[in-house]
Amino acid sequence: MRCVIARFPFDLVKSDVQQSMKGIKPEPVTGESVTIGRRTFPVKQVGEVITGQDRRDFTAGEVTRALTRLGFTCHTAPALVHPPVLTPLQTASAQLGATAHI
């Protein structure tokens, strides 16, 4: 399949992408990701491997569109989990190992 990533044309084939990612250790996922085989890779890591370009030269969206068109399962960035905001009394109680009853 022909696609353009960072203004450069690439002819990508699903089996070639799978072969390129064999033996590559997945980095921790902090943004968009793609499942290749049984492993989940950050989209930018896959884009760097298959294009040979620096990650700053392309967007995650460009690579995600190309990989989705090839039939890979892409995932959006994990939602940020914000810890609950504690009152000063709750914070002090937690530090002392007790629960605050208000």
Side-chain angles (χ1 to χ4, degrees):
M1 176 199 75
R2 190 162 182 83
C3 64
V4 175
I5 299 174
R7 298 184 319 266
F8 291 96
F10 293 93
D11 287 315
L12 298 176
V13 179
K14 186 173 184 174
S15 59
D16 291 344
V17 173
Q18 291 169 326
Q19 188 63 35
S20 296
M21 296 310 293
K22 272 192 178 169
I24 305 247
K25 182 180 177 187
E27 296 172 359
V29 174
T30 57
E32 296 180 39
S33 61
V34 59
T35 301
I36 299 176
R38 291 177 288 175
R39 297 184 294 174
T40 301
F41 294 90
V43 168
K44 288 277 208 167
Q45 181 183 12
V46 175
E48 182 177 46
V49 171
I50 63 175
T51 66
Q53 296 181 359
D54 189 276
R55 296 176 193 206
R56 296 171 291 186
D57 294 339
F58 54 84
T59 66
E62 290 175 303
V63 179
T64 299
R65 279 189 297 278
L67 294 173
T68 300
R69 288 176 54 200
L70 285 173
F72 290 104
T73 303
C74 295
H75 314 278
T76 59
L80 295 176
V81 178
H82 297 287
V85 178
L86 301 177
T87 65
L89 175 61
Q90 292 170 323
T91 303
S93 294
Q95 290 173 344
L96 294 172
T99 57
H101 298 286
I102 300 176

